[in-house]
Amino acid sequence: MKDTIIKRDGTREAYNEAKILNAVLRAAYDTTGVNNGPDLAIEVTNNVRNEMEQNPDKEYNVEEIQDLVEKYLMLSGKTDIAKQYILYRDKRTKAREKGWDLDEVGKKSYEEKYRHAGENFDEFIDRISNGNKKIAKLLREKKFVFGGRILSNRGLQNDGYKITYSNCYVLKGPEDNLESIFDVNRDMAITFSRGGGVGFDLSRLRPKDEPVHNNARTTSGPCSFMDIYNKTTQTIGQKGRRGALMLAMRVSHPDIQEFIDLKRQLGEIECANLSVMIDDKFMEAVIGGKSYLCKFKYDDGREVLKMVNANELFTRMCENSCDYAEPGLLFWDTVDRGGLLAKDPEFSYECVNPCAEEVLPAGGSCLLGHMNLSEFVVHPFTEGAYFDYDKYEEAVKQAVIALNEVLDEGETFHPLDYQIEAVRKYRQIGLGYLGIADMLIKLGIKYGSIESLQICDRIGFKTADMAIRTSAEIAKDKGTYETYNKEYVFASPFFKSNTTALTREMVRKYGLRNSQLLTCAPTGTVSLLYRTSGGIEPIFALKTERKTLSLNNGEEVKYEVNAKIVQDFMDIYGEMDIEDLPDYFVTAADIDYKDRVRFQAIWQKHIDASISSTVNLPHETSIEDIKQLFIFAWESGLKGITVYRAGCAREGILVNKDGEKDESNICPECGAELQHVEGCVTCMNCGYSKCS
């Protein structure tokens, strides 16, 4: 008997009897509703092994093994279980042949954003996997998906396209001179033209009304230049989305009040997200009711000082977040403490990308991939449902390998030389998640409950541990990232709390290939492809309103569709009213903000970058509520937080002087309302996303 079998892609893998046992158990469970199949599973497995031993020279392939399982199930007399196994096998075969089960929204996104030059599904998978058979399998099974720029751009350089595989970059913020201000604008435009979003810090620019040695006499301040950056973002088009821009400022800058008020002017700076980089001293001053010193220091040592009432400034941030959903808050000292490089004195984070999930050095980029946790649930919607940790950990390993392959392949594709240099020095990748809310529903666990925190804590740790271990395995063959220092990595609190003894030993021997591994980015469009919940977010709605045109007269027709997870449940248990679903079917509107923050904090423990996420709040949420939410987020160890209150000015509830609805929150492609989820905006009607 051979100890290997031939897979469908022609490669070999070790013969694993556990796969037969699990397949028979699954069929038995799905047939009877109770897991009474262990004896049968053992019997069939033994019979398959005996027949293989009788043919020691034969090399069996996967299909032949499955044929044997069918044979011995039929011979056992358990024809109902045999039928269930055959149906499951047929379903998997059709899925491999047909590709992803796309609805009209997902199909539109696939056709317009990711499919290239009329390629069929197999050609699409071949292009984005670039010969990696294991990752191609995970893609087909919807267990992993690359970030949007990889899906749309990988392989296009062969057709002469100038592209990047990275979704976003952090640029070095402008220095305090006019040349640098416009150099950043140029670098931003070049990066946009290759498909990357941009984030940078404005804090190096001197405050408003400070003297300058030119015809202006005094400076107009950093905020005055934001319109230039906004217009460039608006001007440079990208396939399937507008340019994405994050503008940030440290809370210690004397012009911070002007910065946080910019979004109060609806329609101004509409192409940029705004975030405030907040230090612990400021938050301590807020809680303690103390003053806070804003300070700008010139290169020659001169300082501009401005004392502010910390609570009043913080309250203003909360008012603007309440009414305009911005600025977002970045807890920068928490950022500095939170990664593998936290103890490296030579390293510093510059800023965040547009959706704030990637904290990066100047020139750093985010190369994204997402694990679909929903697809690792076995026996979903039943009392016997469980998460398959073994298969999941192996998939995480393959995802880290694949992202490193993409990183190597696209090393010279970055738009700017210093971006290429940063990638070589640090080799950041961003493996994240989607389908978490769907996973919990399949397990019968309520989002935000103690049980949900426990399972997410376990998954998060296993993800981090396996990602770090795999990075060490790659380093064994290909070497570490250029600036790797074992002493600093081992001193990192993140490394200490997210690794097993086995992983630590691997890193001790071989080092690390990547200085940053994990994030949680917006998955707006790719979650539509996989028809699953986005990121770590709860389900936004159990029903979604769609719009289409009547076939008869071209009039707009609105209709509602169940969320995919809802429909999957009803396909098993029968059609029912939304109100009759089990209590673990919850939406963003049902979850208390403290439970929402606790949930995000659990994931942040195991993510060395950050998380793009939006806490959706009801219209009646007060400014005081938002203050307490932000303080709780800081105390809970979040690196950043964004809120969106239903019915705020950003939602278009306000009307203009002519009584017409504000269009700032309308999808530019189909005219439906945009939904604010995952720290970004997504159209549930057509699949448009600002970020992915």
Side-chain angles (χ1 to χ4, degrees), residues 226-275:
M226 291 169 61
D227 189 53
I228 296 170
Y229 300 134
N230 179 71
K231 283 185 167 58
T232 299
T233 307
Q234 195 174 41
T235 301
I236 308 298
Q238 300 179 342
K239 181 183 178 182
R241 68 172 186 178
R242 293 178 294 181
L245 174 65
M246 170 68 79
L247 297 174
M249 182 178 284
R250 294 180 182 269
V251 74
S252 58
H253 195 284
D255 286 359
I256 190 63
Q257 178 80 56
E258 182 183 3
F259 178 82
I260 66 174
D261 279 347
L262 282 167
K263 289 287 182 162
R264 300 188 74 85
Q265 307 169 50
L266 286 175
E268 299 293 323
I269 319 297
E270 61 183 7
C271 294
N273 298 329
L274 305 187
S275 288

Side-chain angles (χ1 to χ4, degrees), residues 72-190:
Y72 288 109
L73 278 173
M74 294 298 294
L75 290 173
S76 74
K78 304 289 186 180
T79 54
D80 54 345
I81 296 176
K83 180 182 177 182
Q84 193 64 40
Y85 177 82
I86 293 168
L87 288 172
Y88 174 76
R89 184 182 175 187
D90 183 62
K91 181 180 178 182
R92 294 293 298 272
T93 300
K94 289 179 178 177
R96 285 192 298 272
E97 293 172 350
K98 182 176 71 172
W100 299 328
D101 180 24
L102 301 173
D103 62 7
E104 60 183 271
V105 180
K107 186 177 181 180
K108 185 176 189 295
S109 295
Y110 170 66
E111 294 286 348
E112 295 184 2
K113 296 183 179 182
Y114 303 126
R115 185 183 181 209
H116 177 63
E119 62 191 0
N120 60 36
F121 184 74
D122 286 340
E123 291 168 337
F124 169 72
I125 294 293
D126 289 344
R127 173 173 65 80
I128 62 176
S129 63
N130 195 33
N132 185 325
K133 302 291 186 184
K134 292 182 178 180
I135 211 68
K137 183 173 185 290
L138 291 175
L139 288 163
R140 290 179 181 278
E141 295 174 348
K142 300 196 296 185
K143 291 178 176 177
F144 166 81
V145 64
F146 285 117
R149 295 308 95 186
I150 301 173
L151 294 182
S152 62
N153 291 348
R154 194 175 193 185
L156 267 60
Q157 72 277 3
N158 300 324
D159 293 341
Y161 288 86
K162 293 182 178 181
I163 42 82
T164 177
Y165 295 162
S166 294
N167 271 53
C168 294
Y169 294 83
V170 163
L171 302 181
K172 185 177 181 181
E175 299 290 342
D176 191 33
N177 61 76
L178 201 60
E179 292 82 358
S180 180
I181 291 169
F182 284 92
D183 283 346
V184 170
N185 194 52
R186 176 204 61 204
D187 291 347
M188 188 176 71
I190 293 171

Side-chain angles (χ1 to χ4, degrees), residues 42 64 74 98 115 134 146 230 274 295 297 345 348 393 401 439 488 507 511 514 517 525 542 545 561 565 568:
I42 294 170
E64 290 170 329
M74 294 298 294
K98 182 176 71 172
R115 185 183 181 209
K134 292 182 178 180
F146 285 117
N230 179 71
L274 305 187
K295 181 170 60 177
K297 190 173 183 178
S348 63
E393 288 184 277
I401 291 171
M439 172 196 73
Y488 300 144
V507 178
N514 312 97
L517 290 150
T525 313
L542 300 177
E545 185 178 90
V561 294
I565 191 71
D568 287 347

